[in-house]
């Protein structure tokens, strides 16, 4: 669809707070943002408009209608979450060194698993928002986390997803006085800008680790480095991160990074790349507007979607660094490559725990987490690479009837299998994604014990 675009002049004071620490001259600076095109969409393009995303976000967070710390109901909401999301069977495992045997079934729980701090914080603040604004209309710009159980619970609390038509969020449904929650993955700059022009309450649950990546790409942008983002270009978090970058390209895995590096070296890495036209076609959905691989890949920086596989992010960083050394010389590397550690601690410790677990003697793995959860997919990937039969489910409903299971593989294929649980004494490794409540894992284990004839030992 053809789309006409215009640059609109907007006084900076329209979205700045009245904080006296901001110099008056700065508050009347004029910036440009990309306004609605022919299809009614809105977006901002800092690389061509001069829009300063960092200044905008800095001042948005200091506005009187913005909250990212909760509303003083933390103890009450955590107590409610504890009732809704904990599991007796998981508590029993933890009390016994993360291992317990029920009849012929031994379960080994990963040392680190399930709800991370950032996820718990996001959900808890969302619960607080409902408590603070009991009668207001509350919207959320995306799923707060990638877990169907938690998202369904928020729906029951009348927290509504913004409607989407033809791939575009309809922000016009948000009225003055409404409340809008930004999810744990964050929100793109253009979405924040659109919301800042409405008389609403913004409740920001963005994970601080995601904000750390935004700071990294903003530093890369300031130094005129192109950000190479290890992530999935359509993932909400990567979309948000890219909106804070200047020039960027998103690579999904090491193979795509090698293609980029091969292009930088003119085919001198492994010969996988081809022409400029082929490059742009391959990454047409994963680059900034007007991306020129010949000039934009002279100075590069590394960033990542926080839920990606830690080891692969590190490999990509080392590959790109070696490539720039080879192209421009070791002595000039600082002029062509920059990197900050943006790997999320919670993602890292869960992956490390999974690597340790798959080294033990296991008959199979049970991985529990949302099917659209990136961090859970990588836990499944670790088990698959180890050669252990591994079953990734998003809830106990995927188990049964009888000894049957519907599960996903790391690359997304949905598989149904009969007689998946073997007879006799078995040892099952169990882990869960960072967005998965203990209750969901416990319910799945109850189903497993039931198949093995251990109904009398079931725990809620």
């Amino acid at each position: 669809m053809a789309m006409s675009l215009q640059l609109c002049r907007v006084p900076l004071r329209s979205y700045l707070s009245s904080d006296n620490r901001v110099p008056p001259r700065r508050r009347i600076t004029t910036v440009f943002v990309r306004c609605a095109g022919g299809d009614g969409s809105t977006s901002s393009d800092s690389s061509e408009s001069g829009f300063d995303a960092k200044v905008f976000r800095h001042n948005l967070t200091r506005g009187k209608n913005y909250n990212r710390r909760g509303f003083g109901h933390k103890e009450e909401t955590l107590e409610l979450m504890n009732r809704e999301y904990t599991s007796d069977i998981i508590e029993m495992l933890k009390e016994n060194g993360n291992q317990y045997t029920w009849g012929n079934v031994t379960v080994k729980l990963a040392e680190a698993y399930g709800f991370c701090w950032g996820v718990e914080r996001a959900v808890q603040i969302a619960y607080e928002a409902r408590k603070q604004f009991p009668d207001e209309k509350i919207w959320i710009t995306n799923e707060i986390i990638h877990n169907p159980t938690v998202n369904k619970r928020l729906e029951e609390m009348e927290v509504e997803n913004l409607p989407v038509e033809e791939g575009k969020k309809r922000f016009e449904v948000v009225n003055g006085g409404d409340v809008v929650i930004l999810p744990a993955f964050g929100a793109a700059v253009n979405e924040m800008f659109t919301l800042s022009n409405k008389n609403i309450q913004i409740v920001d649950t963005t994970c601080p680790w995601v904000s750390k990546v935004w700071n990294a790409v903003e530093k890369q942008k300031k130094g005129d480095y192109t950000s190479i983002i290890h992530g999935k270009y359509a993932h909400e978090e990567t979309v948000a991160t890219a909106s804070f970058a200047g020039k960027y390209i998103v690579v999904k895995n090491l193979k795509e990074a090698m293609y980029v590096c091969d292009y930088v070296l003119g085919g001198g890495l492994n010969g996988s790349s081809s022409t400029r036209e082929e490059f742009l076609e391959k990454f047409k959905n994963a680059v900034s507007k007007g991306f020129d691989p010949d000039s934009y890949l002279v100075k590069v920086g590394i960033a990542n979607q926080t839920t990606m596989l830690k080891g692969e992010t590190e490999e990509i960083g080392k590959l790109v660094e070696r490539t720039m050394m080879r192209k421009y010389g070791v002595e000039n590397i600082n002029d062509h490559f920059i990197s900050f550690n943006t790997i999320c601690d919670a993602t890292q410790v869960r992956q490390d725990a999974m690597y340790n677990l798959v080294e033990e003697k296991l008959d199979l793995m049970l991985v529990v987490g949302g099917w659209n959860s990136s961090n859970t997919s990588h836990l499944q990937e670790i088990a698959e690479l180890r050669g252990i039969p591994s079953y990734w489910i998003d809830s106990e409903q995927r188990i049964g009837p009888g000894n049957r299971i519907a599960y996903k593989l790391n690359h997304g294929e949905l598989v149904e299998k009969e007689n998946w649980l073997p007879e006799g004494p078995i040892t099952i490794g169990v882990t869960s994604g960072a967005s998965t409540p203990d209750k969901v894992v416990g319910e799945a284990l109850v189903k497993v014990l039931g198949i093995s004839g251990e109904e009398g030992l079931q725990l809620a």
Side-chain angles (χ1 to χ4, degrees):
M1 177 185 296
M3 181 173 69
S4 61
L5 296 169
Q6 297 178 327
L7 293 178
C8 299
R9 187 180 298 267
V10 179
L12 194 57
R13 64 187 173 196
S14 67
Y15 60 75
L16 291 184
S17 72
S18 58
D19 191 336
N20 291 330
R21 291 172 296 176
V22 181
R25 182 179 300 276
R26 194 173 192 177
R27 283 201 293 270
I28 60 173
T29 300
T30 297
V31 299
F32 293 89
V33 297
R34 180 169 291 182
C35 298
D39 62 353
S41 64
T42 60
S43 65
S44 66
D45 190 333
S46 57
S47 63
E48 73 173 28
S49 68
F51 179 83
D52 193 325
K54 184 176 182 179
V55 170
F56 165 68
R57 182 164 66 99
H58 174 87
N59 290 284
L60 175 69
T61 60
R62 284 152 179 77
K64 60 183 177 63
N65 291 338
Y66 174 93
N67 185 288
R68 62 178 173 181
R69 299 184 185 279
F71 300 93
H73 310 299
K74 185 174 182 178
E75 184 175 340
E76 180 181 352
T77 51
L78 284 177
E79 182 180 339
L80 176 60
M81 288 171 60
N82 186 60
R83 292 199 303 268
E84 294 182 345
Y85 296 132
T86 56
S87 162
D88 289 342
I89 199 169
I90 298 300
E91 289 302 312
M92 179 175 286
L93 279 163
K94 291 194 292 186
E95 290 169 2
N96 290 275
N98 285 31
Q99 179 174 327
Y100 198 85
T101 300
W102 289 271
N104 285 329
V105 180
T106 296
V107 175
K108 292 185 176 183
L109 181 66
E111 287 297 322
Y113 66 94
F115 262 11
C116 67
W117 170 79
V119 163
E120 182 176 283
R121 170 185 174 275
V123 176
Q124 184 262 318
I125 292 175
Y127 272 49
E128 279 203 55
R130 182 77 280 177
K131 175 73 176 176
Q132 181 72 15
F133 304 104
D135 302 317
E136 283 81 354
K137 184 81 169 181
I138 300 185
W139 303 94
I140 189 165
T141 59
N142 274 309
E143 292 180 335
I144 190 155
I145 57 174
H146 284 162
N147 183 270
T149 300
V150 176
N151 293 323
K152 185 175 184 297
R153 180 68 182 100
L154 288 180
E155 288 177 11
E156 293 170 352
M157 295 166 66
E158 297 185 347
V159 175
E160 295 188 32
N161 291 312
L162 278 175
V164 178
E165 294 179 10
E166 298 182 353
K168 301 185 186 302
K169 296 174 187 173
R170 310 313 301 181
F171 285 96
E172 64 269 20
V173 303
V174 180
N175 297 314
D178 288 355
V179 178
V180 178
I181 297 174
L182 308 183
F185 309 109
V189 172
N190 66 303
E191 295 183 357
M192 294 187 200
F193 185 86
T194 298
L195 293 171
S196 72
N197 287 322
K198 294 176 176 284
N199 183 28
I200 62 168
Q201 290 285 335
I202 296 176
V203 180
D204 188 355
T205 74
T206 303
C207 174
W209 277 100
V210 174
S211 299
K212 181 179 179 181
V213 181
W214 294 353
N215 292 335
V217 297
E218 284 174 334
K219 289 176 183 177
Q220 292 167 6
K221 174 184 173 183
K222 184 176 181 181
D224 198 30
Y225 290 86
T226 294
S227 296
I228 298 178
I229 304 170
H230 177 213
K232 301 171 183 178
Y233 68 81
H235 190 283
E236 303 99 304
E237 181 188 325
T238 297
V239 170
T241 295
S243 75
F244 284 97
K247 299 167 291 189
Y248 69 84
I249 180 170
V250 180
V251 295
K252 183 178 180 181
N253 49 38
L254 184 60
K255 183 178 179 180
E256 288 192 355
M258 291 181 74
Y259 183 99
V260 172
C261 289
D262 187 70
Y263 186 89
V264 169
L265 296 174
L269 181 62
N270 60 6
S272 61
S273 66
S274 182
T275 63
R276 180 179 186 275
E277 290 69 29
E278 183 190 82
F279 184 104
L280 292 173
E281 176 62 25
K282 181 177 179 66
F283 293 102
K284 63 182 178 182
N285 296 315
V287 292
S288 52
K289 181 177 174 59
F291 193 88
D292 177 12
D294 296 320
S295 61
Y296 284 12
L297 295 175
V298 173
K299 296 178 64 176
V300 297
I302 300 295
N304 70 299
Q305 180 182 313
T306 59
T307 56
M308 299 303 283
L309 200 60
K310 166 199 170 187
E312 189 168 46
T313 296
E314 292 174 336
E315 281 188 79
I316 289 171
K318 292 174 183 176
L319 170 66
V320 174
E321 183 177 27
R322 290 195 304 268
T323 298
M324 304 312 280
M325 286 180 178
R326 181 172 168 183
K327 177 82 171 178
Y328 299 104
V330 175
E331 68 279 8
N332 299 313
I333 187 61
N334 291 335
D335 296 327
H336 298 276
F337 177 79
I338 188 171
S339 180
F340 303 97
N341 179 15
T342 58
I343 296 173
C344 168
D345 279 353
T347 298
Q348 179 175 329
V349 297
R350 279 154 184 74
Q351 290 175 4
D352 290 345
M354 185 63 166
Y355 280 118
N356 292 335
L357 183 58
V358 297
E359 290 302 316
E360 299 191 30
K361 187 176 180 181
L362 304 173
D363 294 292
L364 60 91
M365 274 294 311
L366 188 65
V367 178
V368 187
W371 276 349
N372 59 345
S373 167
S374 177
N375 78 85
T376 308
S377 75
H378 293 302
L379 298 176
Q380 172 71 9
E381 181 180 4
I382 292 169
E384 290 180 10
L385 291 174
R386 188 65 175 81
I388 298 173
S390 187
Y391 303 91
W392 173 17
I393 60 173
D394 60 350
S395 75
E396 52 84 20
Q397 295 178 13
R398 307 300 177 181
I399 302 175
N403 193 2
R404 181 182 182 184
I405 191 169
Y407 65 101
K408 269 198 172 184
L409 300 175
N410 163 56
H411 56 73
E413 181 184 354
L414 180 61
V415 179
E416 293 187 3
K417 186 175 180 179
E418 298 281 354
N419 301 315
W420 69 283
L421 198 64
E423 295 182 0
I426 58 172
T427 301
I428 302 174
V430 176
T431 191
S432 56
S435 299
T436 309
D438 285 0
K439 179 180 177 63
V440 178
V441 184
E443 290 170 342
L445 285 175
V446 166
K447 277 281 191 77
V448 171
L449 294 175
I451 294 173
S452 300
E454 309 300 336
E455 290 92 344
L457 298 176
Q458 292 179 21
L459 293 170

